[in-house]
Structure formats: C-alpha cells, structure tokens
Amino acid sequence: MNKKNFLGTVCAAVALAAVVSACGDGTTRSTGWEFSRNMYDPIAFNPDQPNKNFKNGITAQTPPTGTTPIGFTRFDYENSVEGYELAGAEITANPLTVTEQNLKEGHALYVTYCAVCHGPEGNGDGTITKDREVEDSRGKRALENFPEPPSYQKSAGTPSSRGGQMSDLTAGKIFHTITYGWNSMGPHASQISPEDRWKVVMYVQELQKK
C-alpha cells in the first residue's frame, strides 16, 4: 500500500470512529462532541446577569463620572439659552475643512432632515409650512400648517427667536440648535452624528451667504 492510500485509509477510519462514537449504539443519550463550546457558555457575564464582583451585584455598571464612551463625541454646552450663547461665542468656526465632498454630504443631509421646514434654499418655506387639510376625530376638516422658520439668507434679514439675524448665526449656535432643538424644531442628536451635524452646519453657512 502506497503512502497516499495509507493516509486516505487512516483519515477514513478516524472519520468513521468519530461518527460511531457520536451516534453510539442507540442505548445512550450522548450528544457526542460539541463544536466551539465557548459559544454556548460565554466566559464573560451578560449585562443582565447578577455579578458578585461588584458591590451592587449587577453586571451593567454606570460609567464613572466624566468618562467618554468609545465612539461618543462630547459637546460640553448645556441645553439652555446660556449654553447656546456660550457655544456661539466659543465655536465660531467649523472644525471640518470646507471641501466639495463635505458640502455635497452636508447638502444631502440638509435635504433629508432640514429642508422639509427650512426649505431647499433656507428661505423658511419648506413643505411642512404649507396649508394642508386635516380631519379630526369627529370628522371635521380644517387647514393646518407649521409656522415658517426664519430665513437663513442675508437678503431676508429675518431675526431669530433667540435674537440676532439668522444669517449671522455662528457655527456653534447652529450646531447647538441641531443638537438640542428649539421651539417647534426637535433635537436631532439621535438622528445625525456629530460629524454629520458639522456638515449640515457647513451647508447652512453657505445658505447664509446668499
């Protein structure tokens, strides 16, 4: 018997032995060998499991004060008028470089999240501000719309509800408003990442120049 046939015979014998040992003779309930046992019995604790390693006995611990989670970008300005003004005074420039690609992405994000209210050109004439007929629970029909937000453009000269012209808003004030919202505008922090918010700010500041 040559070496090749011998190796083939050995491999076949081993495979047969594994099958026989796994299946047994029908009198036992052995499941045989298990593949990747640690996939069934993880070494680490699950977040909802009790854990004696901590004084409070739980696995999912609250992060220490002042720590920043991986992938999270801090914005150290509180959700208040004071925080808004401080962000506007301290953040006067966009941290992202103005490039064709960033503006293109900022425009796409603006169209997705902002244009419905602020309008495609930032004039405050988005589709949601148009009169539309609605019906209440009693079947009565009436016209409804959302108030038009101020225009971003210099020619409009529309004041912001927080004071000052919309065309003069700094990058920090715009970013703060996108993050926390204001008046009828809800917060967008859960929908738009910090980097993408800065891209929206970049595009809005292009609209301010018109």
Side-chain angles (χ1 to χ4, degrees):
M1 180 182 295
N2 60 37
K3 183 182 292 186
K4 183 175 182 181
N5 290 337
F6 175 75
L7 290 175
T9 302
V10 171
C11 290
V14 171
L16 178 61
V19 171
V20 171
S21 64
C23 296
D25 57 5
T27 61
T28 65
R29 299 180 62 84
S30 172
T31 57
W33 292 349
E34 293 180 336
F35 177 74
S36 297
R37 183 67 231 179
N38 62 330
M39 295 180 68
Y40 301 93
D41 298 324
I43 298 175
F45 287 89
N46 289 325
D48 58 347
Q49 284 183 321
N51 194 325
K52 295 181 179 179
N53 295 304
F54 298 104
K55 290 182 179 180
N56 58 6
I58 61 176
T59 297
Q61 297 291 308
T62 302
T65 303
T67 56
T68 302
I70 295 175
F72 178 79
T73 302
R74 298 184 67 85
F75 184 59
D76 295 320
Y77 298 92
E78 63 180 20
N79 182 14
S80 64
V81 174
E82 292 75 19
Y84 169 81
E85 293 293 345
L86 186 61
E90 295 185 349
I91 309 176
T92 57
N94 197 311
L96 300 182
T97 303
V98 178
T99 64
E100 183 177 346
Q101 183 63 28
N102 281 340
L103 283 172
K104 182 179 179 180
E105 293 178 12
H107 172 251
L109 291 162
Y110 177 88
V111 170
T112 301
Y113 295 101
C114 314
V116 65
C117 291
H118 291 277
E121 297 296 323
N123 290 318
D125 56 353
T127 55
I128 201 171
T129 67
K130 309 301 180 185
D131 289 338
R132 61 189 183 282
E133 196 175 62
V134 295
E135 184 176 305
D136 62 20
S137 59
R138 295 172 295 177
K140 291 187 176 182
R141 306 184 73 83
L143 292 179
E144 179 186 76
N145 66 11
F146 282 87
E148 295 183 0
S151 172
Y152 288 120
Q153 299 185 8
K154 287 184 177 295
S155 58
T158 313
S160 165
S161 59
R162 286 175 167 174
Q165 302 300 314
M166 291 285 283
S167 58
D168 295 329
L169 294 180
T170 63
K173 286 184 175 181
I174 300 172
F175 187 91
H176 187 282
T177 304
I178 296 173
T179 301
Y180 294 119
W182 179 253
N183 289 338
S184 298
M185 175 180 166
H188 285 65
S190 64
Q191 299 168 282
I192 313 176
S193 69
E195 182 177 352
D196 283 347
R197 273 176 258 163
W198 283 119
K199 292 176 183 178
V200 174
V201 171
M202 186 181 297
Y203 183 74
V204 167
Q205 294 201 299
E206 289 298 310
L207 296 178
Q208 287 177 315
K209 299 173 184 177
K210 293 187 177 182

